Amino acid sequence: CFIDQKNNTNILWNLYRKLSKHTPFSVVLCTGQMTDLIFIEREVVQSLKEYIQAEESKLAAVKRWANKLEVLTHASTSDPEGFLAHPVNAYKLMKRLNTEWSELESLVLNDPSHGFISNISVHRQYFPDEEDEKGAAKALMRLQDTYNLDSESFSKGKLPGVRYNAFLTVDDCFDMGKTAYNEQDYYHAVLWMQQALRQMDAGEEAKASKADILDYLSYSVYQMGDLQRATELTRRLVSIDPGHQRAGGNLRYFERLLAKEIREVARNKQDPAKEKPIQLGTYERPRDYLPEREIYEALCRGEGVKMTPKRRSRLFCRYQDGNRNPRLLLKPMKEEDEWDNPHIVRYLEALSNEEIEKIKELAKPRLARATVRDPKTGVLTTAHYRVSKSAWLEGDEDPVIDRVNQRIEDVTGLTVDTAELLQVANYGVGGQYEPHFDFSRKDEPDAFKSLGTGNRVATYLNYMSDVEAGGATVFPDFGAVIWPRKGTAVFWYNLFRSGEGDYRTRHAACPVLVGSKWVSNKWIHERGQEFRRPCGLTEVD
């Protein structure tokens, strides 16, 4: 029943290492890496300023030459023979044309841009690419959906808890719309192209043309099934650019369809729909693969929480000494009930600031796209529904990691000898992990087979940062919301004592709206818990 911890560690680490070789950096950027980009950009800006200064110095030197030569040529050309009658003037003319003009030519040909080009070339390897930009755009759309924010809220920087003003230009909104359009996401394309048009109509200048915006917007609106508005927008496009390549044909097509639609309305004696400005809610967002999407997103906004007064009366706080564990007798852990059934507890002062900083320091160089375990193969792989960066830390890497692992064992009463490595995760802009189970289900028998430690019996989650807005842990099945609090940890069982999975524990990490979220997970497995958490007699005990 038992497994050597070193073997367990090597299996998990090798799986992670193999995967990370094939995981592109560009998939998602965490806050830690984006912080590095800020300082890289500062260095490039400083290099640019040095280049400008060098160009200005060069131009000033050329100007001095030009001014001096202008004075000389004015004097020499007014009386050439008289000027050259003086032998010194004749000598200096020969000298200037032979030597000094060559020096001026060298000065002009000297290119101060080499240093700047070299500097930016070195740093370019760290620059985000097109996939990174697309990922950031999708993150904004994800936040827009989850927190019911309209495009103007983002464009004007109207977000809760923000400390810095940030605005989106017409071109920014246009590029957001294009990203959605290219993904055939016409719902978001409409929202962002409409915002771009709104700002342009208000007088804001942009590189994008109004015709281009109307082109994307009209077709996206058509794809959303709004034929009347698509026709009106296309008419506006034709009035601006009569020779537009597609607009004329689209307009004739839309008008035929619209005429047919109007006849149908008249035949059925229906009132024609009244046109209203496009805003959030004008069109219904298409449904996707996630059945509990609406419940999940509502909980992320703090709505629909099923914490009743009766349930709250059953929640308590206590000192937890780990069944008189010697390490907790003098300083027991402070434990609070977060939920009664299934039982979820929060431990206060679970990590010190010094421990948090050390864990982050160890994890930052290794952060890679967070993975999930493929239920069929058991191999770690990336997934679109988990957007974060993570790293795995072994207990013998630093005394802090060993101490944290021991603390988890002491307070839970479960052995961590067969647990997975401590996983550190950083959720940056829009970072999330959609509803999922931590344990493997019956149709996933091989999920943890390579570890040889059984299923994930429990989850211990450390919060290593506060989050200004968003980033909650939610349980859609029973309507619980747990907000991140730096230095605390939450704990729950994924399996009943019978070994059956508790399907109520399906949970999610909500997108981070403002701020950065750092957590560390310890997934505790079945093997080794036989006498620490004995089996129950009923399936759901």
Side-chain angles (χ1 to χ4, degrees):
C1 293
F2 296 89
I3 184 169
D4 177 63
Q5 168 64 8
K6 190 65 179 176
N7 185 41
N8 180 6
T9 295
N10 287 339
I11 291 173
L12 186 64
W13 181 249
N14 287 336
L15 282 172
Y16 170 74
R17 189 167 52 192
K18 288 177 183 177
L19 175 76
S20 63
K21 290 180 180 178
H22 305 288
T23 303
F25 173 82
S26 62
V27 176
V28 61
L29 290 176
C30 69
T31 304
Q33 289 164 330
M34 292 179 73
T35 301
D36 294 339
L37 291 179
I38 286 177
F39 290 102
I40 288 174
E41 186 175 39
R42 185 182 69 177
E43 290 181 24
V44 174
V45 169
Q46 180 60 36
S47 178
L48 178 61
K49 290 175 69 176
E50 291 171 358
Y51 161 65
I52 292 171
Q53 187 176 6
E55 286 281 16
E56 288 175 341
S57 298
K58 170 184 167 181
L59 187 59
V62 172
K63 283 182 177 179
R64 286 194 297 271
W65 272 96
N67 292 334
K68 182 179 73 171
L69 292 170
E70 184 181 25
V71 172
L72 285 170
T73 55
H74 178 73
S76 63
T77 55
S78 61
D79 182 11
E81 291 188 9
F83 182 82
L84 291 174
H86 198 298
V88 172
N89 287 339
Y91 164 73
K92 294 187 69 173
L93 175 63
M94 295 300 105
K95 179 185 176 185
R96 273 200 311 276
L97 294 175
N98 181 54
T99 305
E100 296 180 8
W101 274 98
S102 295
E103 293 175 3
L104 178 58
E105 182 181 11
S106 298
L107 176 62
V108 172
L109 291 175
N110 178 45
D111 190 356
S113 68
H114 290 314
F116 171 70
I117 296 300
S118 174
N119 198 328
I120 200 171
S121 297
V122 169
H123 286 99
R124 189 176 292 280
Q125 61 181 313
Y126 304 110
F127 283 14
D129 59 18
E130 187 176 348
E131 282 298 308
D132 291 316
E133 183 181 347
K134 186 193 298 183
K138 288 182 177 179
L140 288 188
M141 296 174 203
R142 190 181 308 127
L143 295 174
Q144 185 177 21
D145 294 340
T146 304
Y147 298 104
N148 273 347
L149 299 169
D150 57 29
S151 302
E152 187 172 11
S153 296
F154 279 106
S155 180
K156 304 303 180 187
K158 299 175 183 176
L159 299 178
V162 295
R163 290 176 289 173
Y164 303 99
N165 290 328
F167 305 98
L168 293 175
T169 65
V170 169
D171 292 313
D172 292 331
C173 296
F174 179 69
D175 289 337
M176 287 284 293
K178 275 206 303 184
T179 298
Y181 183 93
N182 291 336
E183 296 284 314
Q184 296 186 331
D185 176 5
Y186 300 112
Y187 172 79
H188 288 106
V190 168
L191 293 177
W192 286 101
M193 288 300 175
Q194 176 64 29
Q195 182 60 30
L197 183 63
R198 185 181 295 121
Q199 291 180 212
M200 181 171 279
D201 285 343
E204 185 178 324
E205 295 183 358
K207 290 187 293 184
S209 69
K210 186 171 291 189
D212 284 341
I213 295 174
L214 286 167
D215 188 20
Y216 280 101
L217 180 58
S218 60
Y219 187 75
S220 298
V221 166
Y222 166 69
Q223 288 291 337
M224 293 303 296
D226 191 344
L227 190 56
Q228 183 175 347
R229 198 187 304 268
T231 304
E232 290 302 318
L233 289 167
T234 308
R235 284 173 181 160
R236 186 177 173 187
L237 171 56
V238 170
S239 68
I240 292 174
D241 185 1
H244 193 279
Q245 185 177 0
R246 291 176 302 279
N250 285 351
L251 181 57
R252 288 188 293 274
Y253 176 67
F254 292 161
E255 286 177 336
R256 283 198 304 271
L257 293 178
L258 184 60
K260 182 179 178 182
E261 186 177 281
I262 291 173
R263 288 194 297 272
E264 289 290 330
V265 169
R267 187 178 301 119
N268 297 325
K269 296 182 180 180
Q270 298 175 351
D271 293 329
K274 294 181 180 179
E275 185 172 328
K276 297 179 180 179
I278 297 175
Q279 55 190 1
L280 195 68
T282 298
Y283 304 115
E284 183 178 350
R285 177 158 51 115
R287 295 190 177 276
D288 62 10
Y289 55 88
L290 196 61
E292 67 263 68
R293 171 75 64 189
E294 292 183 7
I295 298 174
Y296 154 57
E297 292 182 348
L299 288 171
C300 289
R301 297 190 296 270
E303 303 168 5
V305 182
K306 299 177 182 177
M307 176 57 72
T308 63
K310 183 178 180 180
R311 170 167 275 136
R312 193 180 299 278
S313 69
R314 296 197 292 264
L315 304 182
F316 299 93
C317 58
R318 63 192 70 81
Y319 284 105
Q320 175 62 263
D321 63 7
N323 196 22
R324 298 189 62 77
N325 185 292
R327 281 178 288 271
L328 295 177
L329 281 177
L330 294 179
K331 190 180 179 183
M333 292 279 280
K334 299 173 183 176
E335 181 182 281
E336 295 178 347
D337 291 331
E338 284 283 351
W339 207 260
D340 58 339
N341 189 23
H343 195 205
I344 304 174
V345 298
R346 186 194 294 263
Y347 299 111
L348 308 187
E349 300 173 9
L351 288 177
S352 67
N353 286 332
E354 291 75 17
E355 288 171 332
I356 289 173
E357 292 308 311
K358 173 53 72 172
I359 293 171
K360 288 164 67 174
E361 176 189 326
L362 293 170
K364 279 181 179 179
R366 307 182 194 173
L367 288 173
R369 176 72 186 268
T371 56
V372 297
R373 198 171 292 278
D374 188 299
K376 295 181 179 179
T377 65
V379 176
L380 293 170
T381 183
T382 58
H384 63 88
Y385 52 83
R386 187 176 195 187
V387 184
S388 64
K389 290 278 189 175
S390 68
W392 302 81
L393 302 181
E394 299 189 49
D396 57 5
E397 290 187 50
D398 191 277
V400 167
I401 307 303
D402 187 53
R403 187 162 69 241
V404 169
N405 287 338
Q406 185 63 59
R407 187 178 302 144
I408 293 171
E409 179 169 309
D410 291 344
V411 74
T412 65
L414 302 173
T415 181
V416 296
D417 288 345
T418 56
E420 295 174 44
L421 304 181
L422 188 70
Q423 187 203 50
V424 182
N426 178 213
Y427 295 82
V429 53
Q432 64 163 3
Y433 193 175
E434 289 181 349
H436 62 281
F437 299 102
D438 279 353
F439 64 93
S440 65
R441 275 73 67 209
K442 290 182 178 179
D443 59 346
E444 307 166 344
D446 297 330
F448 302 111
K449 185 177 180 180
S450 61
L451 299 180
T453 54
N455 213 340
R456 287 173 172 170
V457 66
T459 296
Y460 189 99
L461 174 62
N462 287 303
Y463 292 116
M464 303 198 300
S465 66
D466 294 313
V467 181
E468 284 89 335
T473 304
V474 299
F475 294 78
D477 184 83
F478 50 90
V481 177
I482 299 175
W483 298 101
R485 285 158 55 188
K486 184 178 181 180
T488 69
V490 292
F491 173 78
W492 67 86
Y493 282 103
N494 298 305
L495 307 179
F496 293 108
R497 287 183 178 272
S498 63
E500 293 293 324
D502 187 346
Y503 283 79
R504 298 172 300 172
T505 60
R506 183 172 168 88
H507 59 287
C510 295
V512 174
L513 179 57
V514 179
S516 175
K517 179 183 175 184
W518 284 87
V519 298
S520 56
N521 298 288
K522 195 71 174 177
W523 285 298
I524 303 171
H525 283 246
E526 291 178 287
R527 299 294 179 263
Q529 318 302 343
E530 292 82 357
F531 300 105
R532 294 172 180 254
R533 192 185 188 234
C535 293
L537 299 178
T538 61
E539 184 176 351
V540 294
D541 183 19

